[in-house]
Amino acid sequence: MGLKPRRVCVLLVSLCVSFCALPFQARGGSNPVPQVNPIVPSSVAPGGPAFSITLIGTGFVSTSVVNWNGGALTTHFVSATKLTADVPAANIASPGSAWITVTNPAPGGGTSLPAFLRIAAPTSSPSFVSYAQSTIFGGQGIGVPFIGDFNNDGKLDLAFGADTATDLVEADQKLFACIELGNGDGSFQSPACTPGNVSAIGDFNGDGKLDVVALNYNDGTNSVSVYLGNGDGTLQSPIKSPAGTGPLSVNVGDVNGDGKLDLIVRNQPLSGGNNFISILIGNGDGTFQAPVQYSPSPATFLQSMLVGDFNRDGNIDIVFTDGGSQHPAIYFAAGNGDGSFQPAVVAHALTPNEPTNLVTAADLHGTGTLDLVGTENPPNDSLNAIFSGNGDGTFQAPVEYSFGNIFGDNGAAVDDVNADGKLDLVIFQGATTAPPPTPSYISTVGYQLGNGNGTFQTPVDLTTPTPPPISVGVVTGDFNGDGKVDMAVVLYDNSGPPYEASLQIYLQGAVPVITVSPAALAFTGQAVNTTSPAQIIKVANTGTTALTVSGATISGANANQFGQTSTCGATLAAGASCQVSVTFAPTSVGTFTASVSIADSAIGTPQTVALSGSTSGAGGAVSPISIAFASQYVGTTGLPQTVTVTNGGNTTLTISNVAANPNDFGVLNSCGSSLAAGASCSIGVFFDPTTSGTRTGTLTIADNAVGSPFTVALSGKGEDFSLAAGSSSATVSAGQTANYTLSVAPVGGFAQSVALTCGGGPAASTCTVSPSTISLSGAAAKTAMVTVTTVSQGLTLPFGSGWPTATRYRLPPLTLELAGTLLLMVLAMLLLRERLRWAPVFALAVVVCLGMTLTSCGGGSGGGGGTNPQAGTYTVTVTGNFTSGSTTLTHAAKLTLVVQ
């Protein structure tokens, strides 16, 4: 069945629309990582009305979102190279700098590095105040810095590479990747460095944290290292990938549109041969695929390279220069959007003396077309040039600017310095004041205000740093949040050795800057309990406006050993100075540290000066200052504890006496009578409890040090047990039982078993303790029962003492009664059986019973009396025993027994 013409027309139109939309859609099903360069306008005055902002760049898609300080704006997609967004008036109510980014959604996608919109009142004559942030390394040099937010706090930070070589021999170099976190007031923290370098920055694993890329040019590996950021200003260990022979410089971009950042590397083999470019496709995890070589024939010497969309097709292109004598030119290699590039063509043929070093690309006309900023390397000439772009990958002849006695520029940055909506140039200027063979160099940083049409006004030189090093690199940013463009300049002093690199900050506007010197004060050999002469800290306001001084204070571990007075009032005028006088008054021997803090309205407040002090003479120090011994059985000796004596002075410590009191504690002194300066010795202390319970004492060490004698508090518990009767006396009759309660209590945490025995009392009585063993737990007392059983008075044989042995045998009364009853029964039976007369028999039984009764009523202690022989007062002794090895603890309790 054939297609109708109308349907064919609709199909063709649909295909045409789909094909035409390809440049604006993600390739391969993924969105690219967008890039922004530039934004229009570059600045606005605070307090203005709502307006629209235009973003020029690459990798934009229909779902791209423009962000203002991280918050989404209403975004309008124009093309793959252009977006617009609506900015409410509230966003520009106050001065500041807006962070403008573009986010593409998944799949792929990501967020661009920020561009900055300055919110500041325009000025025709910007002024700057400079101050030295820090000496970064005492080494050969430091690389051009990069700006970014490495800890995601909304404040600009700096990243740079540095080395610590002490001379110009490359083999001595030790490279570092360093990050200085910004404080948001124009000052920066001390650099946090890890072995490595910094050649570029970007988010190479898509986690929203900035990472660092470093090229390994001369270490023999021909590789690139990625240091993934932790999001707190620190970096992880490097991840290496091959980068081609002799990697010299690198640019970053998503050249194949898959949402992962790639690398474009400029290679210059050390062994010679043609230069080339390597394309490293990113894997999205900090690693890269094997480099694909791009040979930019006929170029033979790649002097510089930039990337960007120079023909406005939405793809990343490459522009590079051939600085060789055969083919001096600017070359253009158009990107295909898939990671490959077309053959290079001449974008502009360079004539003699035209700058061959490309520094940066920016839209200097405000037309959405990238232009080039170029400089010439020394010693050829002193030119800077603007190559205006035609929007098709070609460039016009340069407009050149000369700065007079300049032998070359080491870098340039583009920003709206005076907030007039036109991009300006910030440029390093190096000059020589003496020719070789013993050259002397100076370096300044300056700016050129732009006219908005690719031309610039007369350059303005800023103050020359002192001492005058050579400038290495410059970046611009709003470091104190006032909306004005500031500068961070890396300076390298090659007048050594030693060679030093430092960071100089130029803040725009009337800014108070305080300079405090020296950075540290040291007091040495001060006698204890005396005050040193004062040392002076000079405080100078090197800014352009008065600053407020809140005061100086001393803080730190040994702040009480130092004192200060200040001549600084509440206000310090621009150009004025004052001083803080510091003294050292040690109260003991040793080494002490503290710091002086000066609070003010200047950047980087408070300013601090480190303090240190040391004393002369012998120094005695003991450690620990107290000892708590473990519980010990009374009368035994435990393991010793050690007290360390240290001579922290610079003369011999003489020890005159070491003693412990009371006699519950003992000492074994191995220190002898003297101790050398800086030496230590030990004293052994023993615990020998003489009584139970908590024992306290003191170890005393007498010597010739200040503060002698030194004491150590001693404590310990003597472990024991105690016996105590609940009732200590009992009264019973013969044959009865006496009961007592006995409390067995631990003392000093005693937790052992105690064996209990008892003895004493009347003859033939028995004494028992129940339980016979009591286990104590160290806290509560336990109770035992003591039982003493006596015997009755019994039967006394007849005839009193008439028995030959004069011994009376006692029988119990019940026994006698039973015997009498039995006798009567026997007699009754006999009478019945024998028919005896009952009257005589009965009379005889009565006589017998009466006799037995009378004899049983006798007693007493006398030989023929009638009292109880057991009656009296007796002492019963209960004994508790604990034995462990050679240790025996014994205690007794006395009980009174009264027998009636």
Side-chain angles (χ1 to χ4, degrees):
M1 179 178 177
L3 293 175
K4 294 182 179 181
R6 186 175 180 180
R7 292 184 177 180
V8 171
C9 183
V10 171
L11 178 61
L12 291 175
V13 170
S14 299
L15 290 174
C16 181
V17 170
S18 300
F19 177 80
C20 294
L22 282 177
F24 313 112
Q25 303 299 322
R27 297 163 178 82
S30 293
N31 290 323
V33 179
Q35 288 186 325
V36 178
N37 183 16
I39 58 172
V40 180
S42 57
S43 63
V44 294
F51 67 102
S52 177
I53 187 173
T54 299
L55 290 79
I56 305 299
T58 61
F60 301 154
V61 297
S62 60
T63 51
S64 294
V65 175
V66 177
N67 306 298
W68 177 287
N69 294 336
L73 296 176
T74 300
T75 304
H76 308 282
F77 174 78
V78 179
S79 69
T81 62
K82 186 176 181 179
L83 298 172
T84 64
D86 301 330
V87 180
N91 287 23
I92 60 169
S94 303
S97 291
W99 297 45
I100 308 298
T101 58
V102 174
T103 299
N104 285 347
T111 300
S112 69
L113 289 178
F116 298 96
L117 176 70
R118 310 303 180 190
I119 308 169
T123 178
S124 57
S125 301
S127 62
F128 291 84
V129 173
S130 67
Y131 76 96
Q133 165 65 25
S134 61
T135 297
I136 301 171
F137 275 108
Q140 179 183 344
I142 188 169
V144 176
F146 296 85
I147 62 167
D149 187 2
F150 288 90
N151 61 345
N152 294 322
D153 64 351
K155 303 172 185 176
L156 286 178
D157 311 314
L158 297 176
F160 49 83
D163 67 68
T164 58
T166 57
D167 51 38
L168 298 180
V169 179
E170 289 187 348
D172 294 340
Q173 292 180 348
K174 295 180 180 179
L175 300 178
F176 291 88
C178 300
I179 293 176
E180 282 196 13
L181 296 178
N183 295 316
D185 62 353
S187 65
F188 295 84
Q189 301 175 25
S190 298
C193 300
T194 186
N197 202 353
V198 178
S199 302
I201 63 173
D203 182 5
F204 295 99
N205 62 346
D207 64 352
K209 304 170 185 177
L210 275 181
D211 311 316
V212 166
V213 171
L215 294 176
N216 304 307
Y217 178 70
N218 57 1
D219 67 350
T221 64
N222 293 316
S223 61
V224 61
S225 295
V226 173
Y227 300 82
L228 297 178
N230 294 314
D232 58 0
T234 62
L235 302 173
Q236 299 178 26
S237 300
I239 304 172
K240 281 190 175 184
S241 298
T245 305
L248 190 60
S249 68
V250 63
N251 292 89
V252 177
D254 185 1
V255 298
N256 64 345
D258 64 351
K260 303 169 185 176
L261 288 180
D262 311 310
L263 299 180
I264 306 94
V265 178
R266 177 168 62 100
N267 299 83
Q268 287 188 0
L270 293 173
S271 58
N274 291 344
N275 303 164
F276 59 93
I277 294 172
S278 295
I279 309 301
L280 280 64
I281 300 300
N283 296 316
D285 58 0
T287 65
F288 299 88
Q289 300 177 26
V292 176
Q293 181 172 320
Y294 173 82
S295 299
S297 179
T300 58
F301 180 71
L302 280 170
Q303 183 167 337
S304 61
M305 179 181 68
L306 298 173
V307 300
D309 184 9
F310 296 100
N311 62 355
R312 297 191 295 188
D313 66 350
N315 298 328
I316 293 178
D317 312 315
I318 303 175
V319 167
F320 57 89
T321 58
D322 181 357
S325 59
Q326 295 182 358
H327 308 285
I330 299 175
Y331 287 87
F332 168 71
N336 296 316
D338 59 359
S340 66
F341 294 85
Q342 300 177 23
V345 297
V346 174
H348 173 75
L350 295 172
T351 61
N353 296 326
E354 284 186 351
T356 58
N357 185 42
L358 301 180
V359 179
T360 188
D363 180 10
L364 302 176
H365 295 77
T367 61
T369 299
L370 289 179
D371 310 309
L372 301 177
V373 179
T375 66
E376 181 58 81
N377 286 338
N380 296 336
D381 56 27
S382 57
L383 296 179
N384 292 306
I386 305 300
F387 298 89
S388 295
N390 295 316
D392 59 359
T394 64
F395 299 90
Q396 302 175 22
V399 177
E400 298 178 346
Y401 298 89
S402 176
F403 292 148
N405 189 27
I406 298 174
F407 69 87
D409 293 334
N410 298 297
V414 176
D415 211 325
D416 190 355
V417 175
N418 62 341
D420 65 350
K422 304 170 185 177
L423 291 179
D424 311 310
L425 294 180
V426 177
I427 306 173
F428 280 129
Q429 305 172 54
T432 177
T433 58
T438 57
S440 176
Y441 306 102
I442 64 171
S443 180
T444 63
V445 63
Y447 63 86
Q448 284 183 271
L449 298 179
N451 297 315
N453 60 358
T455 64
F456 295 87
Q457 301 173 26
T458 303
V460 176
D461 291 346
L462 301 179
T463 304
T464 301
T466 301
I470 295 176
S471 302
V472 174
V474 61
V475 291
T476 60
D478 181 7
F479 300 131
N480 57 355
D482 62 358
K484 300 175 182 178
V485 173
D486 309 312
M487 307 174 193
V489 182
V490 172
L491 303 173
Y492 166 45
D493 184 0
N494 70 344
S495 61
Y499 301 93
E500 291 185 346
S502 62
L503 179 65
Q504 194 85 6
I505 303 297
Y506 289 80
L507 297 178
Q508 186 178 170
V511 180
V513 177
I514 192 171
T515 301
V516 176
S517 61
L521 297 179
F523 301 83
T524 58
Q526 186 66 33
V528 175
N529 295 326
T530 64
T531 302
S532 72
Q535 295 193 40
I536 304 301
I537 300 173
K538 182 180 179 181
V539 180
N541 181 0
T542 56
T544 56
T545 187
L547 64 84
T548 300
V549 180
S550 302
T553 58
I554 297 178
S555 60
N558 308 121
N560 61 340
Q561 305 294 309
F562 299 88
Q564 64 85 22
T565 58
S566 173
T567 64
C568 300
T571 302
L572 189 62
S577 63
C578 59
Q579 65 182 32
V580 177
S581 301
V582 181
T583 56
F584 176 47
T587 57
S588 60
V589 175
T591 300
F592 307 92
T593 59
S595 62
V596 174
S597 297
I598 303 170
D600 49 62
S601 60
I603 57 175
T605 190
Q607 325 298 329
T608 59
V609 176
L611 305 178
S612 62
S614 61
T615 58
S616 62
V622 296
S623 178
I625 60 174
S626 65
I627 296 177
F629 289 89
S631 297
Q632 187 72 33
Y633 298 134
V634 172
T636 63
T637 300
L639 295 176
Q641 300 287 333
T642 300
V643 173
T644 301
V645 180
T646 302
N647 182 3
N650 52 17
T651 60
T652 300
L653 177 71
T654 301
I655 301 174
S656 57
N657 186 49
V658 177
N661 288 295
N663 59 355
D664 295 86
F665 302 94
V667 172
L668 177 61
N669 180 14
S670 62
C671 285
S673 60
S674 63
L675 187 62
S680 298
C681 63
S682 298
I683 296 175
V685 185
F686 298 85
F687 179 42
D688 306 325
T690 58
T691 59
S692 60
T694 300
R695 310 298 295 161
T696 59
T698 303
L699 172 67
T700 303
I701 304 169
D703 50 46
N704 65 331
V706 175
S708 178
F710 301 96
T711 59
V712 177
L714 307 175
S715 64
K717 287 183 178 180
E719 285 192 13
D720 204 346
F721 65 92
S722 64
L723 302 180
S727 55
S728 59
S729 179
T731 301
V732 296
S733 298
Q736 293 182 335
T737 298
N739 295 309
Y740 305 84
T741 59
L742 182 70
S743 176
V744 184
V747 182
F750 184 84
Q752 299 293 338
S753 296
V754 177
L756 300 175
T757 59
C758 67
S765 65
T766 59
C767 181
T768 59
V769 183
S770 178
S772 60
T773 300
I774 285 186
S775 296
L776 299 175
S777 61
K782 293 187 177 181
T783 301
M785 295 297 298
V786 180
T787 303
V788 181
T789 303
T790 63
V791 297
S792 63
Q793 65 186 25
L795 171 65
T796 302
L797 295 178
F799 311 111
S801 57
W803 291 97
T805 59
T807 302
R808 289 172 296 178
Y809 297 90
R810 300 180 182 274
L811 295 174
L814 179 60
T815 304
L816 295 176
E817 292 172 358
L818 291 174
T821 301
L822 180 62
L823 179 59
L824 290 176
M825 293 174 63
V826 171
L827 292 176
M829 293 176 65
L830 291 174
L831 288 174
L832 292 175
R833 187 174 182 182
E834 298 294 335
R835 296 190 179 97
L836 295 178
R837 285 186 160 187
W838 62 270
V841 174
F842 179 77
L844 176 61
V846 170
V847 172
V848 171
C849 290
L850 181 61
M852 293 177 66
T853 302
L854 290 175
T855 56
S856 67
C857 291
S861 58
T867 60
N868 182 2
Q870 289 185 328
T873 300
Y874 302 89
T875 298
V876 177
T877 302
V878 181
T879 303
N881 286 281
F882 163 71
T883 301
S884 176
S886 60
T887 300
T888 299
L889 300 178
T890 300
H891 296 284
K894 302 294 185 179
L895 307 176
T896 299
L897 175 62
V898 177
V899 181
Q900 295 179 342

